[in-house]
Amino acid sequence: MSEPTSSPVIRFQPAVGQERTYDFAALPCPPLHSPLADALQARLTPARGSVYTLACADGYFGTIRRFLAFLSMQDQPLSCLGDVSPEHLYTYRDVEGATRSAAGIRHEVAQLCRLLRDAPYGSLHPTVWDLIKTPRTVTGPQPPRKALQLYSHREYTALLQAARADAARTVTRLTSSEQLLAAFHAAPHTLSEKDQAAARLLDVMHRTGRIPHGHGQRKQDTARQLFLTLADAAPLFVLAMALGRLRVTETAGLPARHTVDNGAVVLRLDQRAKQGNAPFRWAVRGEGHDPLNSAGDFYLLLHRLTQRSRRFSGTPQLWNVWTGRSANLSGHAPLSCHSLSPLLNTWAHRHRLTADDDGPLTVQMPRLRATARAQAHPRG
């Protein structure tokens, strides 16, 4: 990735987008260019680093540029990276911190420490090497987070009641269509002409994933006869957050692959890979229990409702719905984390849900999870 020029040039090809070139020629402190270029290269190499976007790569090069500009203003010129001392790091923190937020300077120092850790072995002074192992030593401890305000009992109950009512209607609608489709496959002659016509439409969608154009009917309304849509996903996601009590990314990233063992759904969450990715378990109550009231039964219900869309999208995520737009032209795609917040708040607004201050009740997913966890494990 580097070129044999007087000053290093690093080329980066992101997973998405055009190649970007980072030229050190215009940066100050030339004796430090080579080891910092090696560190940047290590950061941009997928096998070692964790940078895959142009924005992240630009961020690391920007940190190098700012740090070298700071070092160039020191009274004593630096002849190598080993001349960088702990005092330089602390002073850089204070200088940058004068014009940045606390979160901004923590991010900057953390990036600098990651870069220095990737510098060639032996190029750093031992005291600096010991320091950058824990960036918090430089930035200081993070300020305590403000406690997340929970939903009141009335607000939380209103959210769950609306979500369960909508989810129940969705289940009834899709179950009715599945029963009609099953009867059509088993004994079509037993159906009325009207039911046969409806079943033939379902059969086309079942086999192809495509949504035929109906006379005077929106494609979304036709798709809802057999598939989950974005509108259906909102109340289901509220229930998933409340029942599973997982983080937003964990809930949205639930895998379809699972097993049922000793009365429990067993699956692995990719988001917990750093914790060993141990199997995760949810109890299954089984027949006779409302699947909208327990995490394990709800997961299995959702697995059934999203099965057809997963087949056409070809993705391993549990959450797949008909969106009308996807790369495979069928309209089936995984649920995007970025679409969740507006999707949920549109749903809450449609139900005219109100907060305790009489304003609109917004669905804040971390707040929803925290309330669910507090309800499951009350204090005192």
Side-chain angles (χ1 to χ4, degrees):
M1 294 173 64
S2 58
E3 294 180 354
T5 60
S6 56
S7 292
V9 175
I10 304 299
R11 299 189 183 281
F12 172 58
Q13 179 62 59
V16 178
Q18 296 181 346
E19 182 183 81
R20 183 69 56 88
T21 298
Y22 300 103
D23 192 345
F24 282 68
L27 302 185
C29 301
L32 279 65
H33 288 184
S34 180
L36 288 178
D38 288 343
L40 179 61
Q41 178 174 302
R43 282 280 100 192
L44 302 186
T45 302
R48 294 184 56 194
S50 57
V51 176
Y52 300 98
T53 67
L54 285 175
C56 290
D58 288 347
Y60 277 112
F61 189 66
T63 294
I64 291 175
R65 185 177 61 248
R66 287 185 290 272
F67 188 55
L68 289 178
F70 160 77
L71 293 177
S72 70
M73 294 185 291
Q74 303 308 299
D75 294 335
Q76 186 68 32
L78 279 66
S79 61
C80 64
L81 193 60
D83 287 344
V84 174
S85 68
E87 186 62 28
H88 285 127
L89 297 183
Y90 286 118
T91 306
Y92 179 69
R93 174 202 64 190
D94 295 339
V95 170
E96 286 291 309
T99 57
R100 291 188 181 218
S101 66
I105 191 57
R106 283 198 300 272
H107 178 73
E108 176 76 0
V109 171
Q111 285 209 138
L112 178 59
C113 289
R114 283 193 289 269
L115 282 163
L116 294 178
R117 286 200 299 268
D118 280 333
Y121 180 77
S123 60
L124 293 173
H125 193 279
T127 57
V128 172
W129 175 250
D130 290 337
L131 188 62
I132 63 174
K133 292 177 183 176
T134 52
R136 189 175 296 183
T137 306
V138 183
T139 61
Q142 293 189 13
R145 293 183 178 180
K146 294 182 180 179
L148 192 63
Q149 182 182 3
L150 304 181
Y151 287 110
S152 70
H153 178 73
R154 185 199 68 80
E155 292 171 331
Y156 186 63
T157 299
L159 278 171
L160 294 195
Q161 284 180 344
R164 284 198 174 97
D166 281 1
R169 284 190 285 270
T170 296
V171 173
T172 299
R173 180 189 83 228
L174 295 182
T175 299
S176 176
S177 293
E178 288 172 351
Q179 290 172 345
L180 177 59
L181 185 61
F184 178 75
H185 289 160
H189 60 279
T190 64
L191 301 177
S192 66
E193 289 187 8
K194 180 179 179 180
D195 284 345
Q196 284 190 35
R200 278 192 288 270
L201 177 63
L202 295 177
D203 184 58
V204 170
M205 293 191 291
H206 167 75
R207 289 184 291 102
T208 67
R210 303 293 181 90
I211 311 302
H213 289 282
H215 296 291
Q217 190 173 33
R218 298 183 307 165
K219 291 189 71 174
Q220 179 177 339
D221 294 330
T222 303
R224 292 180 77 244
Q225 296 180 42
L226 198 62
F227 305 108
L228 288 182
T229 65
L230 286 172
D232 299 316
L236 291 171
F237 201 86
V238 169
L239 287 180
M241 290 287 298
L243 296 174
R245 301 191 290 276
L246 299 175
R247 295 182 178 88
V248 176
T249 54
E250 292 174 335
T251 304
L254 282 171
R257 185 175 181 179
H258 70 281
T259 58
V260 178
D261 178 56
N262 291 326
V265 171
V266 183
L267 48 90
R268 293 180 182 274
L269 301 179
D270 291 340
Q271 293 82 356
R272 297 191 176 186
K274 293 182 179 179
Q275 304 173 22
N277 201 17
F280 187 83
R281 302 176 68 90
W282 272 321
V284 175
R285 297 181 180 180
E287 293 186 13
H289 292 87
D290 187 349
L292 302 180
N293 287 322
S294 62
D297 297 280
F298 181 77
Y299 173 89
L300 294 178
L301 170 67
L302 193 59
H303 191 277
R304 177 170 66 85
L305 297 180
T306 57
Q307 186 173 11
R308 285 191 178 89
S309 286
R310 285 199 312 278
R311 176 157 56 93
F312 295 114
S313 72
T315 55
Q317 295 96 319
L318 175 70
W319 290 93
N320 270 267
V321 299
W322 185 85
T323 65
R325 49 188 188 277
S326 69
N328 57 27
L329 302 180
S330 69
H332 302 272
L335 191 62
S336 168
C337 267
H338 301 295
S339 68
L340 284 172
S341 185
L343 189 68
L344 297 181
N345 284 315
T346 298
W347 169 80
H349 178 74
R350 189 172 66 249
H351 280 278
R352 293 183 170 83
L353 299 179
T354 58
D356 287 343
D357 62 2
D358 293 329
L361 183 61
T362 58
V363 184
Q364 298 171 325
M365 290 174 281
R367 189 179 177 193
L368 178 61
R369 176 184 182 244
T371 305
R373 288 167 65 88
Q375 294 276 344
H377 304 289
R379 295 181 178 180

